[in-house]
Amino acid sequence: MVLFLCFLFFLFSSATACDRCVHQTKVAYFSQASALSSGACGYGSLALSFNGGHLAAGVPSLYKDGAGCGACFQMRCKNPTLCSGRGTRVILTDLNHSNQTDFVISSRAFMALSNQGKGQDILKLGVVDVEYKRQANILNFSILINLAVRVEESSQKPNYLAVKVLYQGGQTEMVAMDVAQVGSSNWGYMSRNYGAVWDTSRVPNGALQFRFVVTSGYDGKWIWAKNVLPADWKPGMIYNSGVQITDIAKEGCSESECGDGSWK
């Protein structure tokens, strides 16, 4: 028993709590950002307005069956001749099916990895070694934006409702979503259709409220948006939830995986 407790102490004491571990991989690029906007998260042309077009497709372990959609990552390449120490940030909008790289990113984001005047040189490489970590996601990284939902065109009142979740902040992943009439406690679950799109065939009458389960590392919690869709909601419209998600995860990493001060 004493040996077991000592082993547990070693495991916990050897890990440092930092916001996210630094990972090593290779990154390639798409020549057209529109290839990422039509991706598995379902953002469509809206994605082109995210983060200045700095978009990414991530491997299944990052896409997480759609829970990783909208996640933000900071990355910097490791070629000291071509690459800047600052790097760039990308938002995950698609699934990367390749097993050669963790990410395929837009050419604009790829060029942003380089030192000034070296953008074309880095494009010629096609693939570069990078280090990356998860970052808090705030639109344009300067102002906090409320979580929003877009009613999809396939929605048909009162038989079917599909919504796309937009502007999910913090370092979080949405893993469940419920809907109810405003003022009611009769919640019905929604299912992830694909990517950032959730749907239900049991649509309550009237104005609608939502609640979400978001996780950030080890922890999860309910987020309640009390009055989101009006009774006359319409397909194609975006509705403000009135709530912001700002949770920041902590992850157990070795000291070297926490990165140096420039990642903070």
Side-chain angles (χ1 to χ4, degrees), residues 196-215:
V197 179
W198 296 77
D199 65 3
T200 181
S201 58
R202 302 177 63 183
V203 186
N205 294 320
L208 301 180
Q209 59 180 328
F210 296 97
R211 63 182 183 183
F212 316 89
V213 177
V214 297
T215 65

Side-chain angles (χ1 to χ4, degrees), residues 22-38:
V22 177
H23 305 278
Q24 313 293 321
T25 189
K26 294 180 182 293
V27 166
Y29 72 92
F30 283 114
S31 58
Q32 297 291 329
S34 57
L36 293 165
S37 70
S38 59

